[in-house]
Amino acid sequence: MRAARLIKMVLLLQSRPVMCAAELAAELEVSERTVTRDAQALSEAGVPVYAERGRAGGYRLIGGYRTRLTGLARNEAEVLFLSGLPSALREMGLEDAASAARLKVSAALLPSLRDASASAAQRFHLDAPSWYHEPEPPDLLPVIADAVWDDRLLRARYRKGGGRENGRNGTEVARELAPYGLVLKAGVWYLCARVADDFRVYRIDRFTSVEPADERFDRDESFDLPAFWEERAADFARSLLRTEVTVRVSESGARQLAYTGDRAAAATALSEASPAGPDGWRTVVLPVESLDVAYSQLLSLGPELEVVAPDELRRRLAEAVERLRDLYR
């Protein structure tokens, strides 16, 4: 533990001209007294750590000293590619590895480039969760993440057709999984795993228990996680669209249609619709999840859309318009 801390202290001093005791203590998560003892230990070991007193003082490396202790461990190299996702790293339990990797890269850079990581962090940040949603990291995520990185089989119990996100208990089943990859979608974590010869997707907050097995699995190197997820996500979105409604939309309504429901379905429906008439309106057959969902989505288009069929949905929208007129009369 102390050896790792001493190495980190050297790398910190190598990546910055000077650091005061308080800064080092904060970075190393120790007391300033421990920083003093560690600096003395490094000096006795031949590392030229020099302490300057006074307001502008601190610790520095002298004589252009460069350590070669910058080689990245495997887990550090892997998480370096995820360093733009701080919240995801934190939830997977990889924050320390990412910090060590960034520090080693900074220490290996020329002095003129050492502010590159801070410069990039000030110019780009990915905020994965959706608005108005406070994500709760699943308790079992770090264990599952370790198995994914290690290509280790998992014995798991999983709630099918329910979970805490919808208030249902569901049916619990046992599975042996080959965990291939993790996906963070709008604040929700998913596991893409192989079961026998089939690849499936599991919501991680529906796992009730996971136990890493002693044995590892042979990863199919042709498996493409982004392509697999894109295909499954598209299939899932299409599977929700179980019914159709016929609508007439104005030119403005056609532009807004993509923002009321499934964007791909709206784009396809508009491309297959007949040309607009003399009034600029056109008739569109639109796939929707249900009449209840279509009611709330299409009502937002107001006078830019008219429901033609089915009669039940047309009648509900007409009643809503009457109530609105009474409210604003």
Side-chain angles (χ1 to χ4, degrees):
M1 184 71 177
R2 191 190 184 198
R5 189 175 73 243
L6 292 174
I7 292 173
K8 185 174 182 180
M9 184 174 180
V10 173
L11 293 173
L12 284 167
L13 294 174
Q14 185 173 308
S15 63
R16 306 180 196 180
V18 63
M19 294 184 71
C20 69
E23 292 172 329
L24 282 168
E27 290 281 358
L28 300 172
E29 298 181 349
V30 295
S31 67
E32 293 185 27
R33 180 171 295 183
T34 299
V35 168
T36 301
R37 288 198 297 265
D38 285 352
Q40 183 176 354
L42 287 170
S43 181
E44 291 172 354
V47 178
V49 178
Y50 178 70
E52 293 180 334
R53 299 184 181 278
R55 176 180 293 181
Y59 292 91
R60 68 171 70 244
L61 292 174
I62 61 174
Y65 179 84
R66 305 284 297 175
T67 178
R68 295 187 179 183
L69 298 173
T70 53
L72 293 177
R74 180 176 181 83
N75 68 325
E76 294 169 349
E78 289 170 336
V79 300
L80 188 60
F81 293 99
L82 298 174
S83 57
L85 298 167
S87 61
L89 287 168
R90 186 167 52 251
E91 292 173 12
M92 287 189 289
L94 298 172
E95 189 173 24
D96 289 343
S99 175
R102 288 193 294 269
L103 183 57
K104 289 181 178 181
V105 170
S106 296
L109 292 174
L110 294 171
S112 60
L113 298 177
R114 284 178 188 160
D115 67 341
S117 60
S119 176
Q122 293 302 321
R123 287 165 173 79
F124 177 77
H125 173 69
L126 177 61
D127 184 9
S130 59
W131 287 104
Y132 314 117
H133 174 68
E134 187 66 30
E136 293 183 28
D139 295 336
L140 298 175
L141 176 59
V143 178
I144 295 173
D146 284 345
V148 170
W149 290 115
D150 205 26
D151 291 343
R152 192 173 294 278
L153 290 170
L154 280 175
R155 296 186 179 93
R157 298 194 67 83
Y158 183 80
R159 287 189 301 266
K160 293 180 61 178
R164 66 184 181 186
E165 77 283 351
N166 57 24
R168 298 197 304 269
N169 291 326
T171 302
E172 191 169 283
V173 296
R175 292 281 187 269
E176 183 172 86
L177 310 171
Y180 266 65
L182 294 166
V183 175
L184 177 60
K185 170 70 171 178
V188 179
W189 283 95
Y190 297 88
L191 173 67
C192 301
R194 190 184 68 205
V195 182
D197 294 325
D198 186 27
F199 283 95
R200 303 179 186 178
V201 176
Y202 298 89
R203 276 187 66 134
I204 289 184
D205 59 6
R206 290 187 186 173
F207 284 106
T208 59
S209 68
V210 291
E211 180 184 354
D214 293 332
E215 61 269 28
R216 291 180 170 86
F217 63 91
D218 294 324
R219 177 176 288 268
D220 181 355
E221 297 301 331
S222 66
F223 177 77
D224 185 334
L225 178 61
F228 171 79
W229 176 260
E230 183 177 2
E231 180 183 352
R232 288 301 174 93
D235 289 344
F236 176 72
R238 285 193 295 269
S239 72
L240 295 177
L241 307 178
R242 300 186 181 93
T243 190
E244 292 181 339
V245 298
T246 303
V247 300
R248 291 180 66 245
V249 289
S250 66
E251 183 178 346
S252 174
R255 290 194 299 268
Q256 298 175 52
L257 200 58
Y259 301 99
T260 61
D262 186 273
R263 182 171 300 209
T268 300
L270 288 168
S271 67
E272 295 174 350
S274 57
D279 58 358
W281 287 58
R282 50 180 161 167
T283 302
V284 180
V285 178
L286 183 68
V288 294
E289 184 175 341
S290 67
L291 294 186
D292 287 337
V293 172
Y295 170 79
S296 60
Q297 292 174 341
L298 301 181
L299 187 61
S300 65
L301 270 69
E304 305 301 329
L305 176 141
E306 176 193 2
V307 172
V308 177
D311 289 338
E312 176 188 347
L313 182 59
R314 180 180 174 89
R315 183 171 58 254
R316 288 182 63 183
L317 282 169
E319 292 171 352
V321 171
E322 288 293 329
R323 293 200 305 272
L324 281 170
R325 187 178 66 177
D326 292 341
L327 285 172
Y328 288 96
R329 179 173 295 167

